[in-house]
Amino acid sequence: MNPLTEQEIRTAFVNCTKGEAKRLNIPRDLAERPWEDMDFLGWRDPQAPDRAYIVAAWDGRPVGVQLRSSDAGSWQTRRSMCSMCVTVHTGGVSLLVAPRSGKAGQQGNSVGAYMCSDLACSLYVRGKKDAGVGARLHESLTLEEKIQRTVANLAAFIAKVTE
């Protein structure tokens, strides 16, 4: 992924108002992020832990999606699989819900997916971050194929948000 500026990130959001995009907390460590190992930028709002954000390349431009996590529950102690990168975590997967863009979102429609709670899917796939024993299932796919699958899963999710 190409590095993004704060302004590029703020203008990328498709499922929130311009005012909300202007007020959201952008990570302060953008310059230190491992952009070459990232398929998308994902982060949690440190001042509102139930809020998360993803910015990914979509049709040649950055597209941002605002997410909310479900309330904490007993599922957090079970082993769960991220639907984006297929990493298995114990307590490290959250149901993240995005309001749909446009009129559908204004009517309260949303799309959800189980994702790595820290949104570090790209780093788990590449082995740059460890989710613990049994986190990566043995697969015959190459690293490039795993990366492509993660990107395709995220693209499908973004398509559901923007359709």
Side-chain angles (χ1 to χ4, degrees), residues 55-136:
V55 179
W58 178 257
D59 289 335
R61 64 180 178 87
V63 171
V65 176
Q66 174 181 261
L67 304 158
R68 290 213 182 249
S69 63
S70 61
D71 293 332
S74 61
W75 58 269
Q76 288 186 320
T77 57
R78 289 186 284 169
R79 290 179 60 81
S80 301
M81 181 182 291
C82 173
S83 62
M84 299 297 134
C85 67
V86 193
T87 298
V88 178
H89 297 269
T90 300
V93 173
S94 299
L95 174 60
L96 295 174
V97 179
R100 294 189 56 202
S101 62
K103 191 167 186 99
Q106 293 168 357
Q107 294 173 344
N109 295 325
S110 60
V111 178
Y114 287 96
M115 298 183 200
C116 294
S117 297
D118 61 2
L119 299 167
C121 298
S122 302
L123 301 179
Y124 291 121
V125 167
R126 289 167 173 80
K128 306 278 181 172
K129 192 166 186 179
D130 183 21
V133 176
R136 298 298 313 165

Side-chain angles (χ1 to χ4, degrees), residues 86 134-141 146 149:
V86 193
R136 298 298 313 165
L137 303 174
H138 176 72
E139 298 181 279
S140 60
L141 299 176
K146 291 176 187 178
R149 176 182 59 198

Side-chain angles (χ1 to χ4, degrees), residues 1-5 8-9 12 30 33-43 53-58 60-65 119 122-123 126 147 151 154 158:
M1 177 169 198
N2 293 325
L4 298 170
T5 66
E8 289 172 320
I9 293 168
L30 290 176
R33 295 280 173 135
W35 294 99
E36 65 281 352
D37 291 324
M38 293 173 23
D39 303 307
F40 64 91
L41 173 64
W43 76 97
Y53 307 95
I54 290 176
V55 179
W58 178 257
R61 64 180 178 87
V63 171
V65 176
L119 299 167
S122 302
L123 301 179
R126 289 167 173 80
I147 292 168
V151 170
L154 182 62
I158 292 172

